[in-house]
Amino acid sequence: MTPGRHRRTTNRLLVPLLLLGLSFGSASIAQAGPGGAGLGAAADATVVDSTGQPGRTVALTFDDGPNAGETSSMLDLLGEHRVKAVFCLWGQHVRENPELVRRIVAEGHVLCNHTMRHENMSTWSPADIRANLRATNEVIHEAVPGAEIRYFRAPYGAWGETPSVAADMGMQPLGWSLSVADWNRPGTDVLVRRLMGGISQGGVVLLHDGGGDRGQTVRAVSRVIPRLRDEGWRFTLPARSG
């Protein structure tokens, strides 16, 4: 066989092998996701409130943003400590701050639909719920085309028919195991005590980066993350299915 023919034959063999390798690599990536669930795992109507992982794991979630002040500060803080979190986005705020949604995604955090205007949907029909969630997703995708929106969280925890609608749209309903009522702004020291005393293994923590002045929340989280790390806690994401 001539050298030229040998190279052509080798190339013909290598191309299918490379394509096969890429296929296996893509499949492996699709299986890797938060809480041990794959990114492609189907959502269900169970409201998840844990990481789904054993031991000292905890997930941080932030509602009602994006907010030009506190969301930026929270992203700086999370980046400094290499913590990934879930941001539950208020559609109207996304319209006002699309660049922050792009930053949230670019820095590896996870998106959650939190309705267009923080509506209580507990008595809404499935059709009306779907229209609102679809509109919110569209606004998010205007800011970040193609971004994955893994979760839905009902404002006020007023679920009604929303879990089944959200799951049908591919979003896992996301609850929480600890809320420290940071919207009342009780003081940074109080929030630190509530967080340190209330976090449980596998817990999902509800906090806020929007909907008002959230400076106390930013300062509390800045103090709590290193303390939890020193105690052996690991920060992760909520489970992807119930």
Side-chain angles (χ1 to χ4, degrees):
M1 182 181 293
T2 65
R5 182 177 300 174
H6 176 75
R7 284 194 295 272
R8 287 194 296 273
T9 302
T10 302
N11 288 341
R12 285 199 299 270
L13 291 171
L14 282 174
V15 169
L17 289 172
L18 287 170
L19 291 174
L20 184 60
L22 288 172
S23 297
F24 277 121
S26 298
S28 298
I29 291 169
Q31 294 301 316
L39 298 185
D44 61 42
T46 305
V47 179
V48 299
D49 59 4
S50 77
T51 65
Q53 300 180 42
R56 291 192 165 191
T57 63
V58 62
L60 300 181
T61 67
F62 299 97
D63 282 13
D64 297 354
N67 171 3
E70 282 73 31
T71 301
S72 295
S73 298
M74 192 66 73
L75 287 170
D76 290 343
L77 170 63
L78 296 174
E80 177 187 348
H81 291 284
R82 310 183 86 143
V83 170
K84 302 305 180 189
V86 177
F87 285 83
C88 299
L89 303 179
W90 184 331
Q92 187 58 42
H93 294 170
V94 170
R95 277 194 176 134
E96 296 164 0
N97 301 285
E99 73 287 346
L100 283 174
V101 183
R102 290 190 283 272
R103 183 180 170 192
I104 288 168
V105 172
E107 295 184 8
H109 302 288
V110 174
L111 302 183
C112 170
N113 182 316
H114 200 41
T115 76
M116 277 300 295
R117 295 176 179 82
H118 208 263
E119 295 94 339
N120 182 332
M121 295 182 170
S122 60
T123 61
W124 289 26
S125 70
D128 287 341
I129 293 167
R130 183 178 296 273
N132 187 291
L133 301 193
R134 183 183 295 117
T136 307
N137 283 353
E138 288 173 355
V139 169
I140 293 171
H141 284 145
E142 286 174 9
V144 190
E148 184 182 23
I149 305 169
R150 295 188 206 173
Y151 300 101
F152 164 75
R153 174 173 278 163
Y156 315 107
W159 293 99
E161 297 293 324
T162 62
S164 58
V165 175
D168 188 58
M169 296 174 69
M171 297 179 290
Q172 185 65 41
L174 177 61
W176 59 87
S177 59
L178 175 64
S179 172
V180 295
D182 58 334
W183 59 84
N184 286 330
R185 297 192 291 275
T188 301
D189 289 342
V190 173
L191 291 178
V192 169
R193 286 197 298 272
R194 290 176 181 175
L195 286 165
M196 294 303 300
I199 287 176
S200 58
Q201 293 188 12
V204 173
V205 181
L206 169 62
L207 295 161
H208 293 78
D209 65 314
D213 180 352
R214 304 302 177 207
Q216 291 181 6
T217 301
V218 175
R219 291 189 290 275
V221 172
S222 72
R223 289 164 55 182
V224 165
I225 287 177
R227 287 177 61 177
L228 289 174
R229 279 246 171 88
D230 287 345
E231 294 182 5
W233 289 83
R234 180 168 61 88
F235 294 92
T236 184
L237 299 173
R240 185 63 173 88
S241 60

